[in-house]
Amino acid sequence: VVCRLVCVGKVDVLFFFFQAEDGIRDAQESRGLGDVYKRQELACGREGNDRRITLPTFVLMRRFEEVVDTANTRLHAMTLGRYSLLRSEEREGRAQQCGLGLRVIDHSCNDVQRDPKTLSGGETFLTSLALALGLADAVTAEAGGIQLDTLFIDEGFGTLDPATLDLVMGQLAELQHEGGRTVGVISHVSDLQQRIADQIVVTKGPD
């Protein structure tokens, strides 16, 4: 039996790796390792694990909840309290992983839960931006975490109306004032030229 201790965020996870040999279960039972094998099966989302959630996925779920919580603070400000995010237990994605999906709560419509696919282009951009900023906040808040001093946001501003653009730019300015972060915006939207003082303009040459 080979053991390895892996640190995933705040959780120390002990993984057991078993060599594939004939009669290994009998050998484990005889050595008093039956309980260990059962725990391994649970951690791998197999025998005894009704939800079929592996241990790494479970750890990701807990970390994802932290990101969603911090993202909701940003999203609340950028949507004037209309939207918030909720981690979903439904199986989503190509791997059909449970617990790593999202639902959008629309507080302007009796707190109905919406599929993110029903959001408009601008709303999708706001949600994506809130999650990105939430991830940065979660990483920075982690004990001994890395300080993310520079963030770059690439496109998406063209989907926003002027009022919403004001809210987004206000959030980005707040990032600078809160922790002295440098926020770079990559965009072709001409209106941003009037809002951002320090710019790098890329022009196409004759060649």
Side-chain angles (χ1 to χ4, degrees):
V1 180
V2 182
C3 300
R4 187 173 68 189
L5 184 65
V6 180
C7 182
V8 184
K10 297 178 181 178
V11 181
D12 290 329
V13 181
L14 184 61
F15 288 94
F16 292 87
F17 299 89
F18 297 87
Q19 296 179 353
E21 298 178 354
D22 293 338
I24 187 171
R25 291 198 180 189
D26 293 338
Q28 289 171 337
E29 292 289 348
S30 64
R31 296 172 186 171
L33 294 179
D35 289 340
V36 174
Y37 181 81
K38 291 178 181 178
R39 292 191 181 97
Q40 184 213 16
E41 290 291 283
L42 286 173
C44 293
R46 295 193 290 263
E47 183 179 342
N49 189 329
D50 295 335
R51 298 179 66 189
R52 294 294 186 265
I53 298 177
T54 64
L55 184 56
T57 299
F58 176 80
V59 175
L60 283 175
M61 285 167 54
R62 299 284 80 81
R63 303 295 287 167
F64 188 39
E65 285 180 348
E66 294 179 12
V67 172
V68 170
D69 286 343
T70 54
N72 275 331
T73 301
R74 304 289 182 185
L75 187 61
H76 183 275
M78 289 188 288
T79 63
L80 298 178
R82 177 176 180 179
Y83 293 124
S84 62
L85 302 175
L86 177 69
R87 183 182 64 79
S88 172
E89 292 287 346
E90 296 182 15
R91 295 185 178 273
E92 297 187 5
R94 293 181 179 179
Q96 289 293 292
Q97 289 184 311
C98 178
L100 297 179
L102 273 179
R103 286 292 179 268
V104 179
I105 302 177
D106 190 340
H107 299 291
S108 70
C109 189
N110 296 323
D111 293 341
V112 64
Q113 293 187 20
R114 296 172 52 181
D115 189 316
K117 295 178 182 178
T118 65
L119 298 177
S120 67
E123 292 168 340
T124 300
F125 171 73
L126 293 179
T127 302
S128 300
L129 178 59
L131 284 169
L133 297 179
L135 177 60
D137 291 339
V139 170
T140 301
E142 183 74 28
I146 300 173
Q147 181 68 35
L148 301 179
D149 295 323
T150 304
L151 299 173
F152 283 94
I153 302 172
D154 187 6
E155 284 304 339
F157 293 92
T159 62
L160 305 179
D161 58 72
T164 306
L165 184 59
D166 286 337
L167 293 173
V168 171
M169 296 305 294
Q171 279 294 299
L172 299 183
E174 187 176 327
L175 280 176
Q176 293 178 296
H177 296 317
E178 284 178 353
R181 296 176 182 173
T182 299
V183 181
V185 174
I186 304 172
S187 179
H188 66 279
V189 177
S190 58
D191 190 30
L192 289 176
Q193 296 179 6
Q194 310 300 322
R195 300 169 181 263
I196 300 176
D198 300 321
Q199 303 178 15
I200 297 176
V201 181
V202 179
T203 57
K204 184 178 181 180
D207 298 329

PDB file of all heavy atoms in Angstrom, residues 4 7 13 21 26 29 35 37-38 42-43 74 81 86 88 94 107 123-124 129 136 141 153 161 168 188 201 204:
ATOM      1  N   ARG A   4       0.009   8.787   0.070  1.00  0.00           N
ATOM      2  CA  ARG A   4       0.539  10.104  -0.255  1.00  0.00           C
ATOM      3  C   ARG A   4      -0.383  11.159   0.325  1.00  0.00           C
ATOM      4  O   ARG A   4      -1.601  11.085   0.149  1.00  0.00           O
ATOM      5  CB  ARG A   4       0.644  10.295  -1.773  1.00  0.00           C
ATOM      6  CG  ARG A   4       1.345  11.605  -2.157  1.00  0.00           C
ATOM      7  CD  ARG A   4       1.583  11.687  -3.654  1.00  0.00           C
ATOM      8  NE  ARG A   4       0.343  11.821  -4.385  1.00  0.00           N
ATOM      9  CZ  ARG A   4       0.247  11.740  -5.691  1.00  0.00           C
ATOM     10  NH1 ARG A   4       1.303  11.485  -6.428  1.00  0.00           N
ATOM     11  NH2 ARG A   4      -0.924  11.885  -6.293  1.00  0.00           N
ATOM     12  N   CYS A   7      -2.153  18.319  -0.172  1.00  0.00           N
ATOM     13  CA  CYS A   7      -2.853  19.471   0.374  1.00  0.00           C
ATOM     14  C   CYS A   7      -3.667  20.120  -0.728  1.00  0.00           C
ATOM     15  O   CYS A   7      -3.118  20.556  -1.730  1.00  0.00           O
ATOM     16  CB  CYS A   7      -1.870  20.481   0.963  1.00  0.00           C
ATOM     17  SG  CYS A   7      -2.694  21.898   1.713  1.00  0.00           S
ATOM     18  N   VAL A  13      -5.620  15.860   2.230  1.00  0.00           N
ATOM     19  CA  VAL A  13      -6.284  14.656   1.731  1.00  0.00           C
ATOM     20  C   VAL A  13      -5.267  13.529   1.670  1.00  0.00           C
ATOM     21  O   VAL A  13      -4.206  13.678   1.075  1.00  0.00           O
ATOM     22  CB  VAL A  13      -6.875  14.901   0.326  1.00  0.00           C
ATOM     23  CG1 VAL A  13      -7.582  13.639  -0.163  1.00  0.00           C
ATOM     24  CG2 VAL A  13      -7.851  16.069   0.368  1.00  0.00           C
ATOM     25  N   GLU A  21      -3.109  -6.446  -8.030  1.00  0.00           N
ATOM     26  CA  GLU A  21      -2.590  -7.807  -7.997  1.00  0.00           C
ATOM     27  C   GLU A  21      -3.742  -8.763  -7.710  1.00  0.00           C
ATOM     28  O   GLU A  21      -4.745  -8.396  -7.092  1.00  0.00           O
ATOM     29  CB  GLU A  21      -1.513  -7.957  -6.913  1.00  0.00           C
ATOM     30  CG  GLU A  21      -0.292  -7.069  -7.140  1.00  0.00           C
ATOM     31  CD  GLU A  21       0.711  -7.214  -6.007  1.00  0.00           C
ATOM     32  OE1 GLU A  21       0.384  -7.914  -5.022  1.00  0.00           O
ATOM     33  OE2 GLU A  21       1.806  -6.635  -6.110  1.00  0.00           O
ATOM     34  N   ASP A  26      -8.304  -9.988  -0.658  1.00  0.00           N
ATOM     35  CA  ASP A  26      -8.089 -10.970   0.401  1.00  0.00           C
ATOM     36  C   ASP A  26      -6.882 -10.591   1.239  1.00  0.00           C
ATOM     37  O   ASP A  26      -6.893 -10.724   2.476  1.00  0.00           O
ATOM     38  CB  ASP A  26      -7.893 -12.358  -0.203  1.00  0.00           C
ATOM     39  CG  ASP A  26      -9.161 -12.861  -0.873  1.00  0.00           C
ATOM     40  OD1 ASP A  26     -10.253 -12.364  -0.510  1.00  0.00           O
ATOM     41  OD2 ASP A  26      -9.053 -13.729  -1.751  1.00  0.00           O
ATOM     42  N   GLU A  29      -7.826  -7.703   3.509  1.00  0.00           N
ATOM     43  CA  GLU A  29      -8.667  -8.135   4.616  1.00  0.00           C
ATOM     44  C   GLU A  29      -7.834  -8.830   5.682  1.00  0.00           C
ATOM     45  O   GLU A  29      -8.018  -8.623   6.881  1.00  0.00           O
ATOM     46  CB  GLU A  29      -9.763  -9.084   4.108  1.00  0.00           C
ATOM     47  CG  GLU A  29     -10.800  -8.425   3.209  1.00  0.00           C
ATOM     48  CD  GLU A  29     -11.714  -7.487   3.975  1.00  0.00           C
ATOM     49  OE1 GLU A  29     -11.687  -7.527   5.223  1.00  0.00           O
ATOM     50  OE2 GLU A  29     -12.440  -6.712   3.334  1.00  0.00           O
ATOM     51  N   ASP A  35     -11.254  -1.795   6.168  1.00  0.00           N
ATOM     52  CA  ASP A  35     -11.861  -0.479   6.363  1.00  0.00           C
ATOM     53  C   ASP A  35     -11.190   0.563   5.482  1.00  0.00           C
ATOM     54  O   ASP A  35     -11.848   1.467   4.953  1.00  0.00           O
ATOM     55  CB  ASP A  35     -11.763  -0.052   7.828  1.00  0.00           C
ATOM     56  CG  ASP A  35     -12.688  -0.880   8.717  1.00  0.00           C
ATOM     57  OD1 ASP A  35     -13.637  -1.484   8.178  1.00  0.00           O
ATOM     58  OD2 ASP A  35     -12.445  -0.905   9.939  1.00  0.00           O
ATOM     59  N   TYR A  37      -9.819   0.002   2.599  1.00  0.00           N
ATOM     60  CA  TYR A  37     -10.287  -0.206   1.233  1.00  0.00           C
ATOM     61  C   TYR A  37     -11.678   0.391   1.030  1.00  0.00           C
ATOM     62  O   TYR A  37     -11.957   0.994  -0.005  1.00  0.00           O
ATOM     63  CB  TYR A  37     -10.307  -1.699   0.904  1.00  0.00           C
ATOM     64  CG  TYR A  37     -10.757  -1.984  -0.506  1.00  0.00           C
ATOM     65  CD1 TYR A  37      -9.877  -1.871  -1.571  1.00  0.00           C
ATOM     66  CD2 TYR A  37     -12.085  -2.330  -0.775  1.00  0.00           C
ATOM     67  CE1 TYR A  37     -10.291  -2.104  -2.869  1.00  0.00           C
ATOM     68  CE2 TYR A  37     -12.509  -2.566  -2.064  1.00  0.00           C
ATOM     69  CZ  TYR A  37     -11.604  -2.451  -3.108  1.00  0.00           C
ATOM     70  OH  TYR A  37     -12.018  -2.667  -4.389  1.00  0.00           O
ATOM     71  N   LYS A  38     -12.545   0.235   2.025  1.00  0.00           N
ATOM     72  CA  LYS A  38     -13.886   0.801   1.924  1.00  0.00           C
ATOM     73  C   LYS A  38     -13.829   2.319   1.808  1.00  0.00           C
ATOM     74  O   LYS A  38     -14.585   2.928   1.054  1.00  0.00           O
ATOM     75  CB  LYS A  38     -14.712   0.396   3.135  1.00  0.00           C
ATOM     76  CG  LYS A  38     -15.066  -1.089   3.172  1.00  0.00           C
ATOM     77  CD  LYS A  38     -15.839  -1.444   4.424  1.00  0.00           C
ATOM     78  CE  LYS A  38     -16.168  -2.932   4.471  1.00  0.00           C
ATOM     79  NZ  LYS A  38     -16.890  -3.287   5.712  1.00  0.00           N
ATOM     80  N   LEU A  42     -15.177   4.780  -1.196  1.00  0.00           N
ATOM     81  CA  LEU A  42     -15.990   5.973  -0.984  1.00  0.00           C
ATOM     82  C   LEU A  42     -15.341   7.191  -1.627  1.00  0.00           C
ATOM     83  O   LEU A  42     -16.004   8.004  -2.278  1.00  0.00           O
ATOM     84  CB  LEU A  42     -16.179   6.217   0.517  1.00  0.00           C
ATOM     85  CG  LEU A  42     -17.135   5.287   1.264  1.00  0.00           C
ATOM     86  CD1 LEU A  42     -17.062   5.567   2.766  1.00  0.00           C
ATOM     87  CD2 LEU A  42     -18.566   5.469   0.776  1.00  0.00           C
ATOM     88  N   ALA A  43     -14.019   7.340  -1.436  1.00  0.00           N
ATOM     89  CA  ALA A  43     -13.306   8.504  -1.963  1.00  0.00           C
ATOM     90  C   ALA A  43     -13.293   8.520  -3.482  1.00  0.00           C
ATOM     91  O   ALA A  43     -13.227   9.594  -4.092  1.00  0.00           O
ATOM     92  CB  ALA A  43     -11.869   8.527  -1.438  1.00  0.00           C
ATOM     93  N   ARG A  74     -19.739  40.917  -5.758  1.00  0.00           N
ATOM     94  CA  ARG A  74     -19.495  41.722  -6.967  1.00  0.00           C
ATOM     95  C   ARG A  74     -20.729  41.777  -7.861  1.00  0.00           C
ATOM     96  O   ARG A  74     -21.092  42.830  -8.378  1.00  0.00           O
ATOM     97  CB  ARG A  74     -18.317  41.124  -7.753  1.00  0.00           C
ATOM     98  CG  ARG A  74     -17.036  40.979  -6.966  1.00  0.00           C
ATOM     99  CD  ARG A  74     -16.394  42.313  -6.689  1.00  0.00           C
ATOM    100  NE  ARG A  74     -15.134  42.161  -5.970  1.00  0.00           N
ATOM    101  CZ  ARG A  74     -14.416  43.184  -5.523  1.00  0.00           C
ATOM    102  NH1 ARG A  74     -14.836  44.423  -5.719  1.00  0.00           N
ATOM    103  NH2 ARG A  74     -13.287  42.970  -4.882  1.00  0.00           N
ATOM    104  N   GLY A  81     -28.439  44.399  -7.292  1.00  0.00           N
ATOM    105  CA  GLY A  81     -29.151  43.457  -6.441  1.00  0.00           C
ATOM    106  C   GLY A  81     -30.099  42.520  -7.164  1.00  0.00           C
ATOM    107  O   GLY A  81     -30.808  41.746  -6.504  1.00  0.00           O
ATOM    108  N   LEU A  86     -25.959  30.545  -7.316  1.00  0.00           N
ATOM    109  CA  LEU A  86     -26.149  29.435  -6.392  1.00  0.00           C
ATOM    110  C   LEU A  86     -25.521  28.188  -7.004  1.00  0.00           C
ATOM    111  O   LEU A  86     -25.763  27.873  -8.174  1.00  0.00           O
ATOM    112  CB  LEU A  86     -27.643  29.185  -6.151  1.00  0.00           C
ATOM    113  CG  LEU A  86     -28.015  28.007  -5.244  1.00  0.00           C
ATOM    114  CD1 LEU A  86     -27.595  28.301  -3.798  1.00  0.00           C
ATOM    115  CD2 LEU A  86     -29.511  27.737  -5.307  1.00  0.00           C
ATOM    116  N   SER A  88     -25.166  24.503  -7.983  1.00  0.00           N
ATOM    117  CA  SER A  88     -26.195  23.520  -8.299  1.00  0.00           C
ATOM    118  C   SER A  88     -25.693  22.110  -8.044  1.00  0.00           C
ATOM    119  O   SER A  88     -24.512  21.803  -8.263  1.00  0.00           O
ATOM    120  CB  SER A  88     -26.621  23.658  -9.764  1.00  0.00           C
ATOM    121  OG  SER A  88     -27.473  22.595 -10.147  1.00  0.00           O
ATOM    122  N   ARG A  94     -19.373  17.922 -19.724  1.00  0.00           N
ATOM    123  CA  ARG A  94     -19.102  16.693 -20.457  1.00  0.00           C
ATOM    124  C   ARG A  94     -18.911  15.504 -19.524  1.00  0.00           C
ATOM    125  O   ARG A  94     -19.307  14.384 -19.823  1.00  0.00           O
ATOM    126  CB  ARG A  94     -17.850  16.878 -21.319  1.00  0.00           C
ATOM    127  CG  ARG A  94     -18.022  17.892 -22.450  1.00  0.00           C
ATOM    128  CD  ARG A  94     -16.756  18.006 -23.270  1.00  0.00           C
ATOM    129  NE  ARG A  94     -16.923  18.964 -24.361  1.00  0.00           N
ATOM    130  CZ  ARG A  94     -15.953  19.257 -25.222  1.00  0.00           C
ATOM    131  NH1 ARG A  94     -14.769  18.689 -25.099  1.00  0.00           N
ATOM    132  NH2 ARG A  94     -16.169  20.139 -26.177  1.00  0.00           N
ATOM    133  N   HIS A 107     -33.801  37.912  -8.437  1.00  0.00           N
ATOM    134  CA  HIS A 107     -34.549  38.469  -7.314  1.00  0.00           C
ATOM    135  C   HIS A 107     -35.657  39.422  -7.764  1.00  0.00           C
ATOM    136  O   HIS A 107     -36.519  39.784  -6.969  1.00  0.00           O
ATOM    137  CB  HIS A 107     -33.595  39.199  -6.366  1.00  0.00           C
ATOM    138  CG  HIS A 107     -32.546  38.298  -5.779  1.00  0.00           C
ATOM    139  ND1 HIS A 107     -32.844  37.308  -4.860  1.00  0.00           N
ATOM    140  CD2 HIS A 107     -31.208  38.219  -5.985  1.00  0.00           C
ATOM    141  CE1 HIS A 107     -31.738  36.679  -4.515  1.00  0.00           C
ATOM    142  NE2 HIS A 107     -30.729  37.194  -5.187  1.00  0.00           N
ATOM    143  N   GLU A 123     -25.574  40.237 -19.497  1.00  0.00           N
ATOM    144  CA  GLU A 123     -25.710  39.591 -18.190  1.00  0.00           C
ATOM    145  C   GLU A 123     -24.717  38.448 -18.030  1.00  0.00           C
ATOM    146  O   GLU A 123     -24.167  38.226 -16.939  1.00  0.00           O
ATOM    147  CB  GLU A 123     -27.139  39.090 -18.014  1.00  0.00           C
ATOM    148  CG  GLU A 123     -28.167  40.196 -17.885  1.00  0.00           C
ATOM    149  CD  GLU A 123     -29.590  39.693 -18.010  1.00  0.00           C
ATOM    150  OE1 GLU A 123     -29.801  38.594 -18.561  1.00  0.00           O
ATOM    151  OE2 GLU A 123     -30.512  40.404 -17.554  1.00  0.00           O
ATOM    152  N   THR A 124     -24.480  37.721 -19.117  1.00  0.00           N
ATOM    153  CA  THR A 124     -23.490  36.648 -19.084  1.00  0.00           C
ATOM    154  C   THR A 124     -22.105  37.200 -18.813  1.00  0.00           C
ATOM    155  O   THR A 124     -21.321  36.621 -18.045  1.00  0.00           O
ATOM    156  CB  THR A 124     -23.495  35.868 -20.411  1.00  0.00           C
ATOM    157  OG1 THR A 124     -24.798  35.298 -20.618  1.00  0.00           O
ATOM    158  CG2 THR A 124     -22.451  34.763 -20.409  1.00  0.00           C
ATOM    159  N   LEU A 129     -17.564  37.940 -15.239  1.00  0.00           N
ATOM    160  CA  LEU A 129     -16.648  38.880 -14.592  1.00  0.00           C
ATOM    161  C   LEU A 129     -16.715  38.740 -13.078  1.00  0.00           C
ATOM    162  O   LEU A 129     -15.678  38.744 -12.392  1.00  0.00           O
ATOM    163  CB  LEU A 129     -16.986  40.308 -15.012  1.00  0.00           C
ATOM    164  CG  LEU A 129     -16.148  41.430 -14.376  1.00  0.00           C
ATOM    165  CD1 LEU A 129     -14.673  41.235 -14.698  1.00  0.00           C
ATOM    166  CD2 LEU A 129     -16.623  42.798 -14.858  1.00  0.00           C
ATOM    167  N   ALA A 136     -10.377  35.603  -7.794  1.00  0.00           N
ATOM    168  CA  ALA A 136      -9.221  36.388  -7.366  1.00  0.00           C
ATOM    169  C   ALA A 136      -9.331  36.759  -5.889  1.00  0.00           C
ATOM    170  O   ALA A 136      -8.341  36.690  -5.146  1.00  0.00           O
ATOM    171  CB  ALA A 136      -9.105  37.645  -8.226  1.00  0.00           C
ATOM    172  N   ALA A 141      -7.645  35.945  -0.293  1.00  0.00           N
ATOM    173  CA  ALA A 141      -8.055  35.823   1.102  1.00  0.00           C
ATOM    174  C   ALA A 141      -7.516  34.565   1.769  1.00  0.00           C
ATOM    175  O   ALA A 141      -7.518  34.464   2.995  1.00  0.00           O
ATOM    176  CB  ALA A 141      -9.585  35.826   1.197  1.00  0.00           C
ATOM    177  N   ILE A 153      -8.780  41.995 -18.255  1.00  0.00           N
ATOM    178  CA  ILE A 153     -10.129  41.616 -18.686  1.00  0.00           C
ATOM    179  C   ILE A 153     -10.206  41.820 -20.195  1.00  0.00           C
ATOM    180  O   ILE A 153     -10.000  42.932 -20.691  1.00  0.00           O
ATOM    181  CB  ILE A 153     -11.200  42.466 -17.967  1.00  0.00           C
ATOM    182  CG1 ILE A 153     -11.060  42.295 -16.448  1.00  0.00           C
ATOM    183  CG2 ILE A 153     -12.592  42.064 -18.432  1.00  0.00           C
ATOM    184  CD1 ILE A 153     -11.940  43.222 -15.670  1.00  0.00           C
ATOM    185  N   ASP A 161     -24.841  48.144 -21.889  1.00  0.00           N
ATOM    186  CA  ASP A 161     -25.390  49.467 -22.125  1.00  0.00           C
ATOM    187  C   ASP A 161     -24.615  50.471 -21.267  1.00  0.00           C
ATOM    188  O   ASP A 161     -23.890  50.072 -20.337  1.00  0.00           O
ATOM    189  CB  ASP A 161     -26.883  49.505 -21.793  1.00  0.00           C
ATOM    190  CG  ASP A 161     -27.155  49.110 -20.345  1.00  0.00           C
ATOM    191  OD1 ASP A 161     -26.843  49.910 -19.444  1.00  0.00           O
ATOM    192  OD2 ASP A 161     -27.674  47.993 -20.119  1.00  0.00           O
ATOM    193  N   VAL A 168     -19.894  48.511 -13.959  1.00  0.00           N
ATOM    194  CA  VAL A 168     -18.726  47.641 -14.090  1.00  0.00           C
ATOM    195  C   VAL A 168     -17.442  48.426 -13.858  1.00  0.00           C
ATOM    196  O   VAL A 168     -16.542  47.983 -13.124  1.00  0.00           O
ATOM    197  CB  VAL A 168     -18.704  46.971 -15.474  1.00  0.00           C
ATOM    198  CG1 VAL A 168     -17.381  46.233 -15.691  1.00  0.00           C
ATOM    199  CG2 VAL A 168     -19.863  45.995 -15.610  1.00  0.00           C
ATOM    200  N   HIS A 188     -12.117  47.018 -27.804  1.00  0.00           N
ATOM    201  CA  HIS A 188     -12.201  47.911 -28.957  1.00  0.00           C
ATOM    202  C   HIS A 188     -13.329  48.929 -28.793  1.00  0.00           C
ATOM    203  O   HIS A 188     -13.591  49.729 -29.694  1.00  0.00           O
ATOM    204  CB  HIS A 188     -12.468  47.098 -30.232  1.00  0.00           C
ATOM    205  CG  HIS A 188     -13.812  46.427 -30.228  1.00  0.00           C
ATOM    206  ND1 HIS A 188     -14.035  45.239 -29.562  1.00  0.00           N
ATOM    207  CD2 HIS A 188     -15.003  46.776 -30.786  1.00  0.00           C
ATOM    208  CE1 HIS A 188     -15.302  44.887 -29.726  1.00  0.00           C
ATOM    209  NE2 HIS A 188     -15.916  45.804 -30.458  1.00  0.00           N
ATOM    210  N   VAL A 201      -2.360  51.910 -27.179  1.00  0.00           N
ATOM    211  CA  VAL A 201      -3.151  51.824 -28.393  1.00  0.00           C
ATOM    212  C   VAL A 201      -2.381  51.016 -29.439  1.00  0.00           C
ATOM    213  O   VAL A 201      -1.236  51.341 -29.768  1.00  0.00           O
ATOM    214  CB  VAL A 201      -3.487  53.213 -28.958  1.00  0.00           C
ATOM    215  CG1 VAL A 201      -4.332  53.091 -30.221  1.00  0.00           C
ATOM    216  CG2 VAL A 201      -4.228  54.037 -27.898  1.00  0.00           C
ATOM    217  N   LYS A 204      -2.785  48.983 -36.684  1.00  0.00           N
ATOM    218  CA  LYS A 204      -2.303  48.122 -37.737  1.00  0.00           C
ATOM    219  C   LYS A 204      -1.463  48.916 -38.724  1.00  0.00           C
ATOM    220  O   LYS A 204      -1.899  49.955 -39.237  1.00  0.00           O
ATOM    221  CB  LYS A 204      -3.486  47.472 -38.443  1.00  0.00           C
ATOM    222  CG  LYS A 204      -3.085  46.469 -39.520  1.00  0.00           C
ATOM    223  CD  LYS A 204      -4.314  45.829 -40.149  1.00  0.00           C
ATOM    224  CE  LYS A 204      -3.901  44.823 -41.208  1.00  0.00           C
ATOM    225  NZ  LYS A 204      -5.093  44.167 -41.841  1.00  0.00           N
TER     226      LYS A 204
END
